[in-house]
Amino acid sequence: MDVQVKAHLFNRAQPKRGPIAMANNKATKNSKKEEEKLPKKSIADLLKQLALATSASSEDDTEEQKPKPMSEYKFWKTQPVTKFNEAVSEEGPIDRREDVSRVPKEPYAILDLFEWSDLDIEDDSEMSELYELLYEHYVEDHDSTFRFAYGKAFFNWALKTPGWKKQWHLGVRVKKTKKLVAFISAVPATLRVRGNTFKAVEINFLCVHKQLRNKRLAPLLIKEITRRVHLENVWQALYTSGTLLPSPISTCRYAHRPLNWEKLCDVGFSALPLGKTRAQMVAKYALPSITKCTGLRRMEVRDVDAVHSLFTRFQKRYQLTQLFTKEELTHLLLGDDEEQEKPDGEKVIVTYVVENTEKKITDFFSFYVLPFTVLNNSVYKSLGVGYLYYYATETGLDKPRYDAQATNELKKRLENLISDALVLAKGIGMDVFNAMTSQDNVLFLEDLKFGPGDGFLNYYLFNYKAFPVGGGFDSQTREYELEKRSDVGVVML
Ligand SMILES: CCCCCCCCCCCCCC(=O)SCCNC(=O)CCNC(=O)[C@H](O)C(C)(C)COP(=O)(O)OP(=O)(O)OC[C@H]1O[C@@H](n2cnc3c(N)ncnc32)[C@H](O)[C@@H]1OP(=O)(O)O
């Protein structure tokens, strides 16, 4: 790759990732020592959240994840999760004692200074408290240059999926001041791992105030949310993290597609490669101003039945998926009533369908929007970041997934669809577009000029052992698995 799209924040945390270091082996080696002193966890999770690492070209530049011995996972060794290298002979729950009557009715004891708090995110002031906690503490920003611009609409979308429960938006407050200092969330989900379907939750937004780190508050939050989920007779969970924990069912790699290369360069996300001019870089990432798929239009509520049918059939090709009811799919692809009324440029989730001349929905794609606020920059106040979400197409769906002709057709179709997604994203002010190596994404990443990132995202199942699920890249060579692709069909926020 001749371009480096780098996370500015990430670079501050890891000097070796800078363009100068990339061009200079010695500098890279020296700074590797510095990197060892840095907190790996925050760097890795920063990547998860920012999803904007360099388009590193060498293996050496990718984030290395090494497991600790199991005995050192003081908390995780006590939990029903698979150990590293544990041989799985049969897929299924690890602890089968699923008896709600045995679940403690009272919350776990917490230090007297603190108290548990069910966050009421329907209340504007509590929503703002959550926003502030995550804004200040979810991402490690060493010099306060960038912050996630979470908004009410984002939380409404992410935390209020059908069946959501207030007691699963779990906070910790300082008893005296009532200040919110930690949070974890669960939302209901139905998961499918190969042939098995089961009720579960998705866990997200685990966050502890920076001044309360390394005090074992995270394990307490996890145990308490587990108790609350168990009380609802749910015994499995799916979660993702850049942090390596025992033990991922899959790992996917990030990829990033600059949409507004000049701005990314000006704010320090992209660097001008040696021997290239700005004009050449701008030309390289130029996109048409209009979309090319005939029949492309915004998805509406009247499309839900057709999209649900297409999506459900399409998702069967993957081994790890979430099953959605029509109500869930409406929420995830269209948002609530208020969100549906908004123009694309104000939306959190943008979904388009392709309708053919017979009025049949043949394809859809979606992306969500989570911008950054740019601090201390006289020119730019924010950075638009779009994330590829779900998609499906009829193309090739009548043939087996790995059929050569079906693959070729699918590749071409996805290139057209996702290139339209890029055009739309750029049209509403996105500066960069992120995707994982999950789903069938590796078929189009390179041709659509996504650069492979340094970041890796691990997928975990709680209380469920399963054979590994392909993440779309080869863990040895770090190359995309163009033939096998990924079997991960879930997209986590
Ligand atoms: C059935 C229902 C089940 C429901 C629950 C399913 C499980 C859900 C699991 C949660 C899924 C979350 C998904 C997301 O949201 S991933 C996003 C995580 N959040 C961030 O990265 C934001 C910034 N960081 C922080 O706020 C803190 O550093 C966190 C809160 C991450 C840790 O706080 P702190 O730094 O103050 O540490 P501690 O002293 O309290 O605790 C140390 C212990 O915590 C283990 N640790 C560290 N990072 C993570 C991590 N990302 N997932 C799980 N465990 C993690 C660590 O290995 C150690 O355990 P062990 O090594 O001794 O064993």
Side-chain angles (χ1 to χ4, degrees):
M1 294 294 297
D2 61 349
V3 63
Q4 292 119 32
V5 181
K6 67 186 168 72
H8 189 78
L9 289 174
F10 177 63
N11 248 8
R12 298 204 174 229
Q14 278 178 293
K16 86 172 177 105
R17 308 278 187 222
I20 296 165
M22 300 262 298
N24 178 336
N25 251 343
K26 200 161 163 237
T28 305
K29 272 186 193 133
N30 286 342
S31 47
K32 196 151 197 164
K33 279 197 190 126
E34 280 169 50
E35 181 204 308
E36 278 155 18
K37 293 181 223 147
L38 291 160
K40 275 264 176 193
K41 177 161 33 110
S42 57
I43 292 165
D45 285 315
L46 179 64
L47 276 166
K48 173 191 167 183
Q49 294 311 319
L50 293 182
L52 263 174
T54 72
S55 59
S57 44
S58 76
E59 208 176 303
D60 199 34
D61 282 310
T62 53
E63 180 74 10
E64 222 178 296
Q65 303 185 91
K66 289 204 182 84
K68 300 187 277 191
M70 200 59 199
S71 58
E72 287 179 28
Y73 287 97
K74 299 247 175 315
F75 168 65
W76 282 108
K77 72 178 179 191
T78 67
Q79 298 301 300
V81 292
T82 41
K83 297 173 188 63
F84 294 108
N85 301 322
E86 183 179 329
V88 174
S89 55
E90 199 190 342
E91 298 196 320
I94 295 169
D95 182 350
R96 291 181 182 268
R97 292 168 302 166
E98 298 170 358
D99 179 358
V100 178
S101 69
R102 293 178 65 245
V103 180
K105 298 291 170 289
E106 294 302 317
Y108 278 88
I110 188 164
L111 265 183
D112 212 30
L113 279 176
F114 304 111
E115 62 190 18
W116 296 112
S117 170
D118 301 0
L119 229 66
D120 182 359
I121 58 165
E122 305 232 276
D123 176 304
D124 275 357
S125 70
E126 297 204 21
M127 177 81 99
S128 303
E129 286 183 279
L130 177 60
Y131 163 80
E132 266 162 44
L133 176 75
L134 296 183
Y135 185 80
E136 297 285 342
H137 305 284
Y138 199 47
V139 164
E140 307 278 318
D141 179 357
H142 289 241
D143 68 352
S144 303
T145 309
F146 294 96
R147 291 284 164 88
F148 276 118
Y150 284 118
K152 193 178 160 187
F154 187 86
F155 290 129
N156 271 336
W157 181 61
L159 291 177
K160 282 166 69 181
T161 52
W164 68 276
K165 296 180 194 322
K166 189 177 159 205
Q167 68 270 28
W168 288 358
H169 297 156
L170 173 62
V172 172
R173 291 181 189 277
V174 175
K175 215 184 239 170
K176 214 163 155 191
T177 61
K178 304 294 173 210
K179 187 179 168 58
L180 183 70
V181 290
F183 183 74
I184 191 167
S185 69
V187 291
T190 304
L191 296 182
R192 178 177 65 78
V193 180
R194 300 187 178 88
N196 294 329
T197 299
F198 48 92
K199 269 204 307 180
V201 288
E202 272 181 18
I203 302 288
N204 213 335
F205 303 111
L206 168 63
C207 181
V208 168
H209 190 292
K210 281 177 195 159
Q211 285 170 358
L212 295 172
R213 296 272 167 89
N214 301 315
K215 298 188 191 320
R216 315 301 295 178
L217 203 47
L220 191 59
L221 278 158
I222 295 169
K223 284 198 289 186
E224 179 56 16
I225 197 83
T226 302
R227 187 189 71 82
R228 289 166 180 234
V229 171
H230 282 169
L231 280 175
E232 302 294 329
N233 201 17
V234 177
W235 306 88
Q236 271 76 35
L238 172 70
Y239 50 102
T240 54
S241 176
T243 305
L244 185 60
L245 304 164
S247 131
I249 179 179
S250 188
T251 303
C252 293
R253 187 172 187 175
Y254 286 105
H256 320 287
R257 206 298 180 178
L259 299 177
N260 186 350
W261 185 86
E262 273 203 302
K263 180 170 167 188
L264 292 175
C265 186
D266 289 345
V267 297
F269 272 88
S270 299
L272 184 64
L274 278 176
K276 295 278 177 193
T277 64
R278 281 172 79 93
Q280 283 171 323
M281 297 311 293
V282 171
K284 172 173 176 171
Y285 291 113
L287 283 166
S289 53
I290 51 166
T291 55
K292 59 181 151 202
C293 291
T294 314
L296 187 74
R297 62 163 173 81
R298 249 172 84 141
M299 181 179 165
E300 295 170 22
V301 174
R302 67 183 159 109
D303 303 315
V304 167
D305 283 357
V307 168
H308 185 263
S309 155
L310 170 63
F311 186 53
T312 309
R313 283 179 288 121
F314 188 80
Q315 287 285 96
K316 286 194 178 136
R317 61 209 285 112
Y318 307 124
Q319 293 173 357
L320 173 64
T321 65
Q322 199 178 332
L323 302 186
F324 299 112
T325 61
K326 287 180 190 167
E327 191 196 356
E328 287 167 334
L329 204 66
T330 309
H331 176 88
L332 288 170
L333 298 182
L334 298 174
D336 60 18
D337 294 349
E338 203 181 315
E339 174 82 4
Q340 287 167 29
E341 296 301 314
K342 292 178 184 165
D344 282 0
E346 290 167 29
K347 279 163 90 55
V348 167
I349 175 74
V350 177
T351 304
Y352 274 70
V353 292
V354 178
E355 187 179 53
N356 69 12
T357 45
E358 282 121 49
K359 302 273 172 226
K360 186 178 174 229
I361 303 295
T362 54
D363 322 75
F364 86 91
F365 62 75
S366 56
F367 60 90
Y368 67 92
V369 174
L370 180 50
F372 291 159
T373 300
V374 181
L375 306 172
N376 310 322
N377 188 305
S378 55
V379 184
Y380 298 111
K381 297 288 163 238
S382 72
L383 205 60
V385 189
Y387 297 78
L388 182 62
Y389 196 49
Y390 287 110
Y391 59 79
T393 174
E394 292 284 0
T395 306
L397 207 48
D398 54 340
K399 301 194 187 72
R401 185 178 184 198
Y402 297 110
D403 176 273
Q405 194 193 336
T407 298
N408 270 337
E409 287 169 8
L410 179 68
K411 179 176 158 57
K412 277 195 205 114
R413 189 61 184 161
L414 288 181
E415 275 172 16
N416 286 337
L417 290 166
I418 307 306
S419 126
D420 278 357
L422 296 176
V423 170
L424 292 167
K426 183 161 188 184
I428 56 167
M430 299 298 100
D431 299 304
V432 62
F433 196 88
N434 296 330
M436 308 294 304
T437 54
S438 57
Q439 301 145 288
D440 281 275
N441 298 357
V442 295
L443 287 181
F444 60 77
L445 289 179
E446 249 175 53
D447 287 345
L448 293 185
K449 299 178 185 160
F450 282 78
D454 274 1
F456 297 88
L457 187 64
N458 301 303
Y459 294 69
Y460 300 96
L461 289 170
F462 183 90
N463 194 22
Y464 198 88
K465 56 185 169 190
F467 304 116
V469 172
F473 76 98
D474 184 309
S475 58
Q476 301 300 317
T477 64
R478 308 286 198 192
E479 301 280 319
Y480 294 152
E481 297 251 37
L482 291 173
E483 262 177 50
K484 260 171 51 195
R485 293 164 256 164
S486 173
D487 283 311
V488 174
V490 285
V491 181
M492 297 281 286
L493 306 181

